[in-house]
Amino acid sequence: MYGLLVAVGDAVRIFNGKDFPSIWPVPSNSEVVAPREDVRIARFEPVDSGKTFGFVWSDDRQVLVHVDGYLHTSTAPRGTSREEHARSFANGCRRDGYEAAMRSIAGGTFNLVVVDLSRSLCHVTTDPIGSLSLYHSPIEGGWLLSTNPVALARSGIIDLAPDFTAMAEWAYIGYTIGDRFLLKGIRVVPPYTSFHWDSERSGGYFKENPESPWRIFPEGAGPSPEEVTDAFIEACRRIAIIDPRPAHFQSAGKDSRFILAAWPMDYNPPCYTYGDDRSLEVSIARSVAELRGSRWIHVWLDGDEVAKDLEGLFNSTGMIVFPDRYLAARQIRRDGYSGVLDGYLGGVFNGSGYLDGDRYFSLLSRLGRYLTVYIDQKVS
């Protein structure tokens, strides 16, 4: 989960003769491939990162795959490496087509690029909940896609006019509505949505992936709490195969507590907590880590120290939000960990969400709740 930049169509021709990685705003190692004349892909990783796998081919070298993150396929043997899961996906895509290969994904956190030479197609997709941001910029005759909006802005070929509506949304609620971003030339790719580029037709379009979880509505009785717990523990076991010794973001919330309790008992992940050391959140997080038997690390910097890192945070993500999480993650990397368990927003996707937040609002706002219908998609 380091960085990705994809150019297709005329975007590639515009970049010809230029150093493709030069627009990446963060010092990184990079690798660039051009499997077709109209497709160019660059992947980026920190300069101090360990050995990672990059681009993976199908056995007949007709399908190229890059996973920015990790994924599990139901077709790969249990216990195989991240690279072999990617290869299994590539072979499935070659054999059965892209949509069938997408159905074979059992889990993961990723942005995924697939170039199918045999079918003259390129696909770029987000994971089922869009946990890693992906942005796109259409240009005449082509497209740019990247995990870093600053890279798109530095390309010099997109509309840099500010989107003031998006800025107002971001300032007010911390998010933009729909696919807006802070610049008019950049849009957000929705969760579990694929961009498809047809080289023969020189055209691209977006389409929701098959069996999207965003189209699943409650029908009858849901799974029992026991069934949900068993499925969650199995998911933790799958992740432990990929990274058996990760760090863990520990808060006082149920998401991170659930992960720590469900993690295999042969390893106690070190728990990192950020926040004011006088807050109840920090004291609860410390007690949870102690109960598990995990080492607990508190990461907290004063405002002057944080201010020095804001430019780096912006260049890495395209916005300055949650700097404490950024700095905590940086400390985790400095401590020698390449992976981190994170339950951030888990309650929104699998729990109560933010629908009960109106208790902090005015009396009129709270009364308005009784005149509104919510669709509740909790799993338990």
Side-chain angles (χ1 to χ4, degrees):
M1 292 169 268
Y2 298 127
L4 176 67
L5 179 62
V6 180
V8 296
D10 285 348
V12 173
R13 287 180 273 279
I14 293 172
F15 273 113
N16 275 341
K18 296 182 181 180
D19 180 17
F20 199 62
S22 65
I23 66 173
W24 197 253
V26 183
S28 305
N29 296 325
S30 63
E31 181 182 5
V32 183
V33 298
R36 294 184 55 89
E37 289 185 355
D38 62 341
V39 177
R40 188 176 296 184
I41 308 165
R43 71 178 191 92
F44 302 87
E45 57 187 32
V47 293
D48 60 345
S49 66
K51 181 178 175 55
T52 62
F53 78 94
F55 298 96
V56 175
W57 287 92
S58 61
D59 292 340
D60 63 358
R61 295 190 66 82
Q62 287 297 302
V63 175
L64 175 70
V65 168
H66 175 57
V67 183
D68 188 35
Y70 76 94
L71 60 79
H72 288 271
T73 65
S74 58
T75 54
R78 182 179 178 85
T80 56
S81 65
R82 290 170 53 200
E83 183 173 3
E84 288 307 311
H85 276 286
R87 195 179 316 281
S88 174
F89 179 89
N91 286 328
C93 189
R94 177 69 177 101
R95 180 181 61 251
D96 304 318
Y98 176 74
E99 286 199 356
M102 289 299 296
R103 289 188 177 95
S104 75
I105 296 177
T109 298
F110 58 84
N111 286 308
L112 174 67
V113 184
V114 179
V115 181
D116 190 335
L117 300 179
S118 64
R119 298 177 175 91
S120 301
L121 297 173
C122 175
H123 314 279
V124 186
T125 186
T126 52
D127 67 29
I129 62 172
S131 50
L132 303 178
S133 298
L134 183 65
Y135 306 88
H136 71 98
S137 296
I139 66 166
E140 186 174 354
W143 237 284
L144 286 175
L145 301 99
S146 181
T147 54
N148 191 319
V150 180
L152 297 178
R154 285 164 56 101
S155 68
I157 63 175
I158 72 166
D159 183 2
L160 298 180
D163 187 328
F164 292 111
T165 301
M167 291 181 178
E169 292 168 352
W170 185 85
Y172 184 62
I173 61 175
Y175 294 90
T176 56
I177 297 174
D179 65 348
R180 287 194 184 101
F181 189 66
L182 306 182
L183 300 180
K184 290 184 177 179
I186 300 177
R187 295 287 172 173
V188 179
V189 178
Y192 210 45
T193 298
S194 286
F195 170 75
H196 305 281
W197 176 258
D198 188 326
S199 294
E200 293 183 351
R201 299 181 180 180
S202 297
Y205 63 95
F206 286 89
K207 181 182 178 182
E208 191 173 70
N209 290 328
E211 301 176 2
S212 169
W214 298 95
R215 298 301 175 188
I216 299 174
F217 289 90
E219 294 182 1
S224 68
E226 291 76 15
E227 291 172 322
V228 172
T229 301
D230 289 343
F232 194 88
I233 290 173
E234 177 58 27
C236 288
R237 288 172 180 161
R238 288 199 303 264
I239 296 174
I241 295 172
I242 296 294
D243 186 353
R245 301 184 67 81
H248 177 54
F249 268 143
Q250 183 62 58
S251 69
K254 68 179 181 182
D255 306 328
S256 59
R257 286 186 283 130
F258 197 13
I259 292 173
L260 192 63
W263 193 256
M265 295 304 297
D266 58 352
Y267 173 70
N268 294 325
C271 295
Y272 287 76
T273 302
Y274 54 82
D276 191 323
D277 56 7
R278 295 168 296 180
S279 69
L280 187 60
E281 172 103 5
V282 170
S283 63
I284 293 175
R286 180 173 57 244
S287 65
V288 170
E290 292 173 350
L291 182 63
R292 169 74 194 218
S294 294
R295 184 166 62 95
W296 183 75
I297 304 96
H298 181 228
V299 182
W300 187 241
L301 300 176
D302 63 36
D304 291 337
E305 292 175 311
V306 172
K308 294 185 297 184
D309 294 289
L310 291 183
E311 183 177 1
L313 173 58
F314 178 80
N315 286 334
S316 298
T317 65
M319 57 182 64
I320 300 175
V321 61
F322 296 131
D324 37 15
R325 293 177 62 82
Y326 171 80
L327 297 170
R330 188 180 65 180
Q331 183 63 51
I332 289 171
R333 170 164 286 280
R334 288 175 175 173
D335 290 346
Y337 299 98
S338 59
V340 58
L341 306 170
D342 187 4
Y344 178 59
L345 287 183
V348 175
F349 291 110
N350 298 318
S352 61
Y354 289 142
L355 303 184
D356 59 352
D358 58 3
R359 66 179 180 271
Y360 301 108
F361 298 166
S362 66
L363 175 61
L364 182 61
S365 297
R366 284 184 278 129
L367 290 174
R369 178 174 185 174
Y370 296 100
L371 302 176
T372 306
V373 176
Y374 293 103
I375 297 177
D376 188 351
Q377 299 192 54
K378 289 187 290 186
V379 298
S380 64

